[in-house]
């Protein structure tokens, strides 16, 4: 069912892409759009990780440059039964993270410097486990291809506005049709992204919580990231809103029209689901999510400044 749903959603985006091409250039425009969509999918399949990581200026780290982060990823990947992914760091104040790659053997996990500074080790473990769940569920390729096609649809629609709007109704969409296309085509792509994102986030929350063994660590992290995302702008994400659904929490500030339709489920609903899972798993109680005063003083990377260093599961 997962592969069937993926195929249907990608087919829908491709059909929307072809429809925009048809409005701009008729049957030949639709065929050109189909060729472009096929080439885009093929290119994205082999280059999805490099494209997105480059877009956000992420640089790879290893055990020499970031031993604690890489060690944590390795430990969680082992628990998840996954190959060790490449680990990247983004010089970004907003706490956030995403995973990318065409399959588990070619996966990458990227976190921001803001995430490293603001989260405890336990919360960071929850976030990384969530991203590894995306890898295990084979979400990463789907989400990158979706972002690529959605971005192409938006650009093609704007192209049609400039060039199609000056044609008469026999040869192009006309000015009214061009305006509608510029609005409705990206909106349609966004709705497909929303349909994908909501189900995959709940699934990744559930599996990630099971990987780390403590659902409330992830719940606490989600609340902290949600609060910071509305206060600390991520300018790279604002310039590339089609990739917003790849992050664990929507990175858009909400000041523009791109955030009118959220690509993520409500954080409180995700936290409620994690609370329920914690009860089912009998997880030990964790500090109340969002209550920063309940946490002990932290070091520069979320480690408690009291007592010796602990592993991610106590």
């Amino acid at each position: 069912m997962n592969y069937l749903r993926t195929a249907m959603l990608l087919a829908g985006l491709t059909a929307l892409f072809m429809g925009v091409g048809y409005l701009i250039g008729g049957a030949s425009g639709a065929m050109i759009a189909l060729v472009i969509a096929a080439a885009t999918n093929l290119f994205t399949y082999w280059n999805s990780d490099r494209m997105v990581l480059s877009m956000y200026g992420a640089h790879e780290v290893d055990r020499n440059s970031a031993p604690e982060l890489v060690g944590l990823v390795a430990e969680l990947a082992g628990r998840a039964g996954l190959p060790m992914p490449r680990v990247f760091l983004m010089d970004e104040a907003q706490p956030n993270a995403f995973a990318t790659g065409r399959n588990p053997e070619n996966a990458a996990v990227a976190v921001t410097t803001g995430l490293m500074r603001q989260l405890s080790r336990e919360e960071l473990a929850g976030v990384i486990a969530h991203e590894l769940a995306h890898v295990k569920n084979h979400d990463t390729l789907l989400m990158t291809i979706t972002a690529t096609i959605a971005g192409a649809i938006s650009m093609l629609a704007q192209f049609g506005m400039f060039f199609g709007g000056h044609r008469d109704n026999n040869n192009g969409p006309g000015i009214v049709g061009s305006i509608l296309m510029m609005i409705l085509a990206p909106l349609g792509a966004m709705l497909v992204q929303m349909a994908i994102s909501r189900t995959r986030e709940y699934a990744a929350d559930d599996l990630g919580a099971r990987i780390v063994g403590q659902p409330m660590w992830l719940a606490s992290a989600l609340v902290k990231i949600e609060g910071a995302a509305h206060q600390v702008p991520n300018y790279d994400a604002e310039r590339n809103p089609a990739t917003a659904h790849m992050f664990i929490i929507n990175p858009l500030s909400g000041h523009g029209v791109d955030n009118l339709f959220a690509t993520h489920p409500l954080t409180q609903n995700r936290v409620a689901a994690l609370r329920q899972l914690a009860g089912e798993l009998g997880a030990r109680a964790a500090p109340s999510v969002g209550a920063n005063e309940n946490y002990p003083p932290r070091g520069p990377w979320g480690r408690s400044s009291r007592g010796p260093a602990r592993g991610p599961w106590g």
Side-chain angles (χ1 to χ4, degrees):
M1 283 300 296
N2 185 53
Y3 288 112
L4 178 60
R5 183 177 69 250
T6 299
M8 292 176 61
L9 289 169
L10 290 178
L13 279 175
T14 302
L16 180 59
F17 196 39
M18 291 178 64
V20 175
Y22 179 81
L23 288 174
I24 295 175
S28 59
M31 289 305 300
I32 292 173
L34 177 61
V35 172
I36 293 174
T40 299
N41 286 340
L42 183 62
F43 178 82
T44 303
Y45 179 81
W46 292 106
N47 300 279
S48 60
D49 51 350
R50 281 174 286 184
M51 286 168 45
V52 179
L53 292 168
S54 176
M55 189 180 298
Y56 285 93
H59 62 276
E60 189 169 4
V61 295
D62 55 26
R63 290 187 181 273
N64 292 324
S65 55
E68 292 185 320
L69 174 61
V70 174
L72 182 59
V73 173
E75 190 170 357
L76 289 165
R79 287 178 63 95
L82 289 169
M84 177 64 184
R86 298 167 68 192
V87 183
F88 287 79
L89 197 60
M90 296 174 281
D91 187 15
E92 167 59 51
Q94 183 190 93
N96 227 317
F98 66 82
T100 186
R102 63 181 181 271
N103 54 39
E105 290 71 31
N106 295 276
V109 173
V111 303
T112 67
T113 52
L115 191 80
M116 300 280 289
R117 286 194 296 265
Q118 298 188 36
L119 265 59
S120 69
R121 181 178 175 85
E122 291 82 1
E123 292 164 339
L124 182 61
V127 170
I128 292 174
H130 170 98
E131 298 306 332
L132 291 175
H134 282 311
V135 174
K136 195 172 183 69
N137 288 338
H138 295 270
D139 292 332
T140 51
L141 175 63
L142 168 64
M143 300 314 298
T144 308
I145 289 179
T146 302
T148 303
I149 298 180
I153 288 173
S154 298
M155 287 189 294
L156 188 61
Q158 293 175 11
F159 178 86
M161 176 62 187
F162 285 107
F163 293 92
H166 298 289
R167 297 177 174 184
D168 57 43
N169 290 332
N170 294 325
N171 298 318
I175 185 64
V176 175
S178 296
I179 293 174
L180 290 175
M181 177 177 61
M182 187 179 66
I183 297 173
L184 296 179
L187 177 60
M190 188 185 302
L191 291 174
V192 174
Q193 286 179 287
M194 289 168 59
I196 300 171
S197 181
R198 291 178 185 277
T199 54
R200 89 179 172 93
E201 290 301 331
Y202 281 123
D205 284 347
D206 184 271
L207 179 57
R210 294 176 188 275
I211 290 172
V212 79
Q214 294 287 350
M216 296 313 297
W217 291 356
L218 175 57
S220 180
L222 291 176
V223 173
K224 283 188 176 181
I225 299 171
E226 169 77 13
H230 295 294
Q231 301 176 15
V232 182
N234 184 331
Y235 295 109
D236 288 330
E238 298 289 347
R239 286 191 292 268
N240 303 281
T243 63
H245 63 289
M246 298 182 64
F247 287 82
I248 188 171
I249 289 288
N250 188 353
L252 303 180
S253 63
H255 299 306
V257 295
D258 294 311
N259 205 39
L260 290 176
F261 296 90
T263 58
H264 293 66
L266 291 175
T267 299
Q268 54 262 45
N269 291 344
R270 296 171 69 180
V271 170
L274 287 167
R275 285 187 182 278
Q276 181 177 353
L277 179 61
E280 294 172 1
L281 297 179
R284 124 178 101 81
S288 177
V289 292
N292 296 342
E293 65 273 11
N294 290 335
Y295 290 91
R298 302 288 172 180
W301 181 56
R303 173 177 290 170
S304 175
S305 60
R306 300 173 185 169
R310 301 182 300 147
W313 300 280

